[in-house]
Amino acid sequence: MVYNTPSDLRYSKTHEWVRQEGDEVVIGITDYAQHALGDVVYVELPAVGATITAGESFGVVESVKASSDLYAPVSGEVVAVNTALESDQSPINNDPYGTGWMLRVRPSAMSEELLDAAAYAAYVAEIDH
């Protein structure tokens, strides 16, 4: 299957994406991740002001199939949380790179292991068969 992998984003091997916007980054889960999970029914995210650490869990996403930890692709301070996802998780499935965003973070460090779109697409193709 071919997944939507926008070229302007960076990706983690744990299937989170990062979009640089000025001195902040926006974080969510990839199209591949939302397909693998199925219908998302619950998401637990950190509070504004919390500090996240690259490579460590920052929350949980639950679907009809499974519960999965979310892993921070950057270290930094959470400056905004998509609170709309508390009552309606469907944007995670329907628009993972748009209205399904999860966090806005002021990063102090980026993961050294973030992939560009081509490398992420190749990684997904390798694990998806």
Side-chain angles (χ1 to χ4, degrees), residues 17-21 24-28 101 103-105:
W17 57 262
V18 178
R19 178 187 303 118
Q20 187 80 42
E21 292 185 358
E24 297 174 355
V25 296
V26 180
I27 298 170
W101 69 275
L103 302 179
R104 183 175 284 275
V105 174

Side-chain angles (χ1 to χ4, degrees), residues 1 11 129:
M1 181 170 187
Y11 301 87
H129 62 278

